[in-house]
Each structure stands twice: as C-alpha cells, then as structure tokens.
Amino acid sequence: MLVKMEILDVGEVIKEFEAMTKDAENVQRETLKKILEENGSAEYLQKLGLHGRTDPESFKACVPLVTHKDLEPYIQRIVDGPSAPILTGKPITNISLSSGTTQGKPKFVPFNDELMETTLQIFRTSYAFRNREFPIKNGKALQFIYSSKQSKTKGGLIAGTATTNVFRNSEFKKAMKAMQSQCCSPDEVIFAPDFHQSLYCHLLCGLIFREEVQFVSSTFAHSIVHAFRTFEQVWEELCADIREGVLTSRITFPSIRSAMAKILKPNPELADLIHRKCSGLSNWYGLIPELFPNVKYIYGIMTGSMEHYLKKLRHYAGDVPLLSADYGSSEGWIGANVNPKVPPESTTYAVLPNIGYFEFIPLKENAEEQVQDKVISMEPKPVGLTEVKIGEEYEVIVTSVAGLYRYRLGDVVKVMGFYNSTPELKFVCRRNLMLTVNIDKNTEKDLQLAVEEAGKLIAEEKLEVIDFSSHVDLWTDPGRYVIFWEISGEVSDQVLKECCNCLDRSFVDAGYVSSRKVKAIGPLELRVLRRGTFQKILDHYLGLGAAVSQFKTPRCVGRTNHRVLQILCENVAKSYSSTAF
Ligand code: AMP
C-alpha cells in the first residue's frame, strides 16, 4: 500500500508569517496574554502581584528582569521534585542543559511541549523561505547531529541538552519528514553513546546515500567543519568499509554495528569512485559537491562565534551556497533566517512575534546614562519588540513559553531593518564575553576580527588557524591579553612574531590602544598550541554532559574556567610577545 507523505505547505507557512509580522505589536500582546494565562497559577508569578493582569505595562511593573542565577533556586526545586507548578502552570517534564561553553559549566533550563512546538515553528518558517529559493527534492539530508546522554534528575525529570530533547522528541522526525529533510543516518548513529563512532557512521551513511543527499547540515557550523576535517583523516578507511561491506572494528557498540549492517553492503564501484574523487582534489577544495553531487546547500548556524569556520567551510563547499540557520538558545527561540540568499556574514534573523514575548535593553542609552550620572548599576529600561531602532544595539530579554519571565539572555544584537513590523536582528556577541584589563573593552567579535587579520599572514603560506581562544592574564603587572592559536602546520618564528604584532595592533578599541601606548596593558602574547588541543577541550565538555551539536569553542576563558585554561596552558608549543607598541 502506498502511504501518502504529508509534505509541508510552504506557501501556507509564509502566508502565516506575513500576517503575523504585519501585526507584530498585537501578536506580542496576545502572546504575553497567553503565556501569563497559561502560567498564572505558577508560584513564581503568583507572588509578583499581577492578580490576573496580562497587559505589557502591568507585566513590566510587577515582574523583575532576571538572570539565570536569580532563577537557579526555582529551577533546582523543579529538578529535585516533587512536581509542582513552580515556574509554569503545567509542571515541567524535561530539563535542558545549555552548552555552558561561555560560563564553563552547563546550566539547567526548563523544556516543555510548548517550547518544542516553537522550535518546530522556527524550523518550518526558515525551511519555507529556504525552499522557495533552493528547492530540494524528496531525498535525504546528511545531518551531523548528535545526542548527549539523557539522565533522570532527582525529581524524575528527563535531562539532556536542548538539542537532544528536540532530536528525541517524536514530533521532530515527523517534522523532518514533512520538510523532506530526513537524516540519512539511522537513530542508533544519531543517539550513539560515543561521539567519534557516531561521526564516522554519519560520514559512512552520507557516502552510501551520496546521490540522494540534498543538503549537509548541523546545528552549529563547527560540527560540519569538524566532520570534514575528520573525513580527511579517515576517508581511506571509509572506502575500505564500502568496498568490503564490513564496518571497521573501531565501531564497537553492538547497536550501531547492527544498524549499520542493514545499510552497508559490499560496493567496490562506489569505493573506487570515492577514492578517485578524493585523490583528484587539490587540498580538499570542493570536497562536499564532489562527494554529494546533488547537494543544494550547506546549512547550520554560521554567525557569531561560528564565523571563524566560514573560510574552511567555503573551502570544502566550493560553489555550494552556505545558508545560516536560525537564532535561538536552550531558553527559547528568537528569530528565523528568512533571507537565505544573504551570505552568512550578513545574515539577519526576523523575530517570530508569537514564539515568546521579547524586550530589548538599549545598550547605547544605558551606557550614556551610566557615564553622566556615574551610576554603575542602573536599572536598565527595555523597549518592546516594535520599538527598537534600526542601527542600534540591544541586549535580548526573553519571556518564554517554558517558564522564563523577563530573562536576560546575555546576547547582544543589532537591529538591521524590519520585516513588515518585526525587527531583523544581527547577532553581535555575548555580552559578558569581554577582554578587558582596565579601560579597554574588546568583544568576541573584536577578537575574531583580530584573528582574521593576523590569520592572513599564515594564509600566504597555505596554512590556517584551526581554532582560537583567549585569556586576560592579570597575574602579570600590567595585565595583558593572551591569544591561543592552533595552526594547521609549521610556521616560521618570523611569521608568528608578525602575527603576534598584528593581533596586538588589530584591537582598535581606544581604551586598548591608549593603555598599550602608556604601558598600562602589557604586550600581547600569542601562544601556539599543539595539534589536537581544541579536540581535548571538546572532549572535556563532552565529559561534562555537553553535546557536540551545541558546542561552541570558548573564546574568552576566564580564571574560573580552571580546566579549560589548564588544557590550553599545558599544550603550548611556542609563545611570542608583541613588540607592536
Ligand atoms: P546554548 O547555550 O547552547 O543554548 O546556546 C545558545 C547561544 O548560542 C545563544 O544565546 C547565542 O549566544 C548563540 N547562538 C544561537 N544561535 C545563534 C545564531 N544564529 N548566531 C549566533 N549565535 C547564536
């Protein structure tokens, strides 16, 4: 019997998005009303004195702005049980572990069916716009997705990373089917207990179904680059497996072996073809379209801390377009990429006005007030979704469908324009990720630009910065910036000295430059790491329960992040001190 497949009606999705964004202010009011009505009985809201009021004005007057730290006691009670309406009306069933790469340890955040539904809404929205420009056939997707371990909390809740909660949800598979985006790997590979084995099998499945693969994706671009770097190491082994139809002995989990045995059959022609194609490439340029001839695009979050990987990704992608995925967090989704033709460096995210209630703290205004009044911690004055101004930067405040009210996400965004009446945001940086010794302020974006500039010097030698991080060293007097680089090959001392000076000069923040000139900040130090150091950092986070799907290399490592700092410092091969000032 032929089963008719439910394919998503993309026209309908776009129509709904158009209507909603034309009326963003009202939709926000309605969304807040719905959230407050559904959760009015929650202990947290009860004691704030809203007394059933659901309008934005009363909400702002009664409910304080909070950070994760403020909510920790409530979340801990949810984690420990017994089940009760603490932050939400309906008790929370799942807990997400955020990646925690910025703070050094994962945070717990509530996850529920409503959050799952908003996740699917974001996926559907960007898919609809994407499919209009880059239609895909009913093939397969090579998705480098991985799950973390799921555990039970003391209170009996299921805990795992947010992506794991999504991938494990039965609605996820249905939605992927409707979006013609089914993963070519079996569940046993996605949910494998070991990341390295999972990655190897994702690559193998991709090769087996190479003609059918329509796009290559992962949650964050880092995982795609990591996957193809691994491919460079294991491609001959993959070919051998395909030739013989026998999986390498390095895959040890019986569940993965038996799932792979169902799809891996001896195919010497395919093995020869892949071998020929790989041997014919120059430095792996254009690897992705060579392996997957029908691939239409590469998809994953490519903005913010992922921008560093774009160069390598473009190298593997050749002329296949790179499309950035959406903007959100474990705490909730924010916006979708509805202009998929725009290159990742300029990607913006249109906020979906019905997936949460959003406020924005203007950064310029607050900074000016602080200087004039000399008040350090002023109560910030957030504005509403439709009140933001083009060209201004804001910190994002989220009120979610999963029990977070006026929650400071810690991200800085810039308003680039409006889609109907909803803003289109560009991700700028994490607010608390800052290199600072005294009056200087350099964000992760400034750091990335400096690394990009200095990286050009080694690109002339056909080498690249695989990954990078930084630390503010206050043990020395004066304090100074330390930048860590892992490089793809040997570079002469002369060139690395120039890179170090270039990094120092590339921080153009006035506070930094003036402090360097009067030696109130010491010479920047470039430390070159042994190959594999960032893999060790990734493994460290996996050991803490993080999932590769959500991994973001920590760009500014604070003193409290002992273990990561230790890994970095223990693996220094060479170091250089700047003579730029
Ligand atoms: P997690 O802590 O793992 O939930 O990651 C959420 C964080 O990842 C967000 O708060 C952002 O800092 C970052 N992020 C998520 N989506 C994007 C995006 N599209 N562009 C840049 N950064 C993003």
Side-chain angles (χ1 to χ4, degrees):
M1 194 180 74
L2 270 178
V3 180
K4 192 171 170 292
M5 222 177 72
E6 283 284 325
I7 304 251
L8 187 71
D9 183 344
V10 294
E12 198 51 40
V13 176
I14 292 178
K15 220 163 89 191
E16 270 171 35
F17 182 77
E18 288 292 338
M20 177 167 69
T21 52
K22 278 183 183 144
D23 196 20
E25 193 182 342
N26 275 327
V27 176
Q28 277 283 275
R29 269 186 181 268
E30 285 306 309
T31 305
L32 179 65
K33 184 165 175 263
K34 187 162 171 263
I35 291 175
L36 294 180
E37 279 173 359
E38 277 173 11
N39 300 298
S41 60
E43 174 193 317
Y44 182 80
L45 287 178
Q46 282 278 315
K47 59 179 196 192
L48 291 173
L50 275 165
H51 302 301
R53 287 172 296 167
T54 61
D55 60 287
E57 295 71 29
S58 308
F59 179 63
K60 286 182 198 171
C62 297
V63 179
L65 293 173
V66 290
T67 61
H68 188 270
K69 204 164 182 23
D70 299 316
L71 295 183
E72 263 167 21
Y74 296 91
I75 297 176
Q76 198 57 49
R77 280 175 52 215
I78 295 173
V79 168
D80 291 344
S83 168
I86 296 172
L87 288 172
T88 47
K90 260 194 302 180
I92 290 290
T93 52
N94 284 52
I95 287 288
S96 291
L97 286 147
S98 83
S99 61
T101 31
T102 48
Q103 273 82 23
K105 64 175 185 353
K107 290 179 297 193
F108 287 146
V109 289
F111 183 91
N112 59 8
D113 289 345
E114 288 75 10
L115 201 58
M116 183 67 204
E117 182 43 40
T118 61
T119 305
L120 296 180
Q121 194 196 335
I122 278 272
F123 288 177
R124 283 188 213 109
T125 306
S126 54
Y127 170 77
F129 282 91
R130 201 160 68 240
N131 215 49
R132 202 165 64 169
E133 310 285 357
F134 305 95
I136 52 173
K137 294 203 199 85
N138 196 22
K140 290 193 186 318
L142 171 54
Q143 300 192 32
F144 294 103
I145 54 178
Y146 311 92
S147 134
S148 67
K149 283 191 202 85
Q150 273 190 324
S151 56
K152 277 235 160 130
T153 69
K154 197 172 141 200
L157 276 68
I158 299 165
T161 56
T163 41
T164 304
N165 283 331
V166 171
F167 302 150
R168 288 235 180 234
N169 193 297
S170 59
E171 294 302 315
F172 176 71
K173 258 200 164 167
K174 281 189 221 155
M176 288 295 125
K177 236 185 199 169
M179 290 184 240
Q180 301 172 293
S181 309
Q182 286 185 84
C183 186
C184 60
S185 308
D187 279 358
E188 290 81 354
V189 169
I190 300 171
F191 302 115
D194 178 86
F195 154 68
H196 301 280
Q197 298 193 19
S198 180
L199 166 55
Y200 184 91
C201 293
H202 274 316
L203 289 168
L204 193 52
C205 293
L207 296 178
I208 295 169
F209 297 110
R210 65 184 286 274
E211 300 269 350
E212 289 170 67
V213 170
Q214 297 285 303
F215 66 93
V216 175
S217 78
S218 73
T219 310
F220 286 98
H222 167 269
S223 307
I224 309 179
V225 170
H226 187 275
F228 287 103
R229 281 193 199 280
T230 307
F231 181 88
E232 289 187 29
Q233 311 297 318
V234 301
W235 69 281
E236 284 175 297
E237 204 174 343
L238 289 163
C239 286
D241 289 5
I242 295 172
R243 186 178 309 281
E244 305 297 330
V246 180
L247 192 59
T248 169
S249 58
R250 71 155 95 187
I251 306 300
T252 52
F253 287 97
S255 59
I256 315 180
R257 292 197 72 87
S258 64
M260 288 303 293
K262 290 187 190 135
I263 50 176
L264 179 63
K265 305 286 174 239
N267 191 342
E269 295 79 29
L270 179 61
D272 285 344
L273 180 77
I274 295 165
H275 203 283
R276 237 186 358 260
K277 285 189 175 290
C278 290
S279 309
L281 290 173
S282 161
N283 196 22
W284 301 101
Y285 178 81
L287 171 64
I288 295 176
E290 203 60 31
L291 294 179
F292 312 108
N294 295 311
V295 76
K296 307 286 185 303
Y297 52 81
I298 294 163
Y299 185 65
I301 293 173
M302 296 176 187
T303 44
S305 64
M306 296 297 135
E307 264 186 49
H308 173 70
Y309 309 108
L310 284 174
K311 203 160 171 232
K312 189 70 181 173
L313 200 51
R314 284 214 168 91
H315 183 84
Y316 287 134
D319 54 8
V320 178
L322 304 185
L323 277 56
S324 185
D326 307 314
Y327 171 37
S329 68
S330 307
E331 287 89 339
W333 284 96
I334 297 159
N337 176 5
V338 295
N339 300 305
K341 278 198 158 165
V342 169
E345 288 84 351
S346 317
T347 294
T348 57
Y349 303 101
V351 181
L352 269 67
N354 75 340
I355 56 168
Y357 181 74
F358 301 102
E359 296 169 77
F360 297 86
I361 300 177
L363 294 183
K364 193 170 140 220
E365 198 176 291
N366 280 292
E368 280 168 359
E369 278 173 354
Q370 283 178 17
V371 175
Q372 278 164 13
D373 303 338
K374 295 199 171 49
V375 177
I376 303 300
S377 60
M378 282 200 25
E379 174 68 4
K381 292 193 203 86
V383 297
L385 179 72
T386 52
E387 293 164 342
V388 293
K389 296 198 184 95
I390 294 177
E392 301 287 310
E393 291 190 0
Y394 298 88
E395 182 188 335
V396 182
I397 312 287
V398 176
T399 293
S400 79
V401 292
L404 304 178
Y405 308 95
R406 309 197 81 205
Y407 177 95
R408 296 177 75 152
L409 195 58
D411 286 344
V412 176
V413 295
K414 186 171 181 177
V415 178
M416 304 305 286
F418 281 86
Y419 188 101
N420 294 324
S421 59
T422 201
E424 294 187 301
L425 309 174
K426 185 172 172 56
F427 181 88
V428 178
C429 61
R430 296 282 305 165
R431 195 171 178 180
N432 63 357
L433 279 189
M434 194 75 81
L435 288 167
T436 174
V437 173
N438 47 51
I439 55 165
D440 53 313
K441 273 199 177 76
N442 281 298
T443 65
E444 54 174 325
K445 179 79 193 165
D446 300 319
L447 171 65
Q448 186 223 318
L449 292 174
V451 171
E452 205 174 296
E453 198 51 38
K456 287 180 188 160
L457 299 171
I458 64 164
E460 288 166 13
E461 311 201 359
K462 298 232 170 323
L463 293 171
E464 54 175 318
V465 179
I466 293 178
D467 222 330
F468 66 95
S469 190
S470 69
H471 171 63
V472 172
D473 184 2
L474 296 174
W475 290 108
T476 55
D477 189 20
R480 62 186 176 148
Y481 292 5
V482 178
I483 312 290
F484 298 92
W485 272 12
E486 186 174 324
I487 308 176
S488 58
E490 282 298 311
V491 186
S492 70
D493 284 341
Q494 183 55 33
V495 173
L496 286 168
K497 267 184 206 153
E498 280 173 39
C499 290
C500 180
N501 288 348
C502 179
L503 281 168
D504 206 2
R505 275 194 300 267
S506 298
F507 289 106
V508 290
D509 160 65
Y512 185 76
V513 177
S514 57
S515 296
R516 280 291 288 121
K517 281 185 181 156
V518 299
K519 307 215 177 328
I521 295 181
L524 179 145
E525 190 181 329
L526 170 62
R527 295 188 188 165
V528 179
L529 300 166
R530 292 193 194 95
R531 283 298 293 274
T533 305
F534 282 98
Q535 180 65 48
K536 286 186 186 163
I537 291 176
L538 172 61
D539 289 340
H540 160 71
Y541 279 103
L542 297 188
L544 292 180
V548 181
S549 284
Q550 266 171 268
F551 181 72
K552 301 166 214 62
T553 297
R555 295 284 184 227
C556 308
V557 180
R559 262 196 288 186
T560 51
N561 199 349
H562 303 294
R563 185 60 197 133
V564 172
L565 201 52
Q566 193 185 15
I567 297 172
L568 289 169
C569 294
E570 278 172 3
N571 285 282
V572 177
K574 290 175 179 177
S575 74
Y576 303 87
S577 193
S578 165
T579 51
F581 289 88

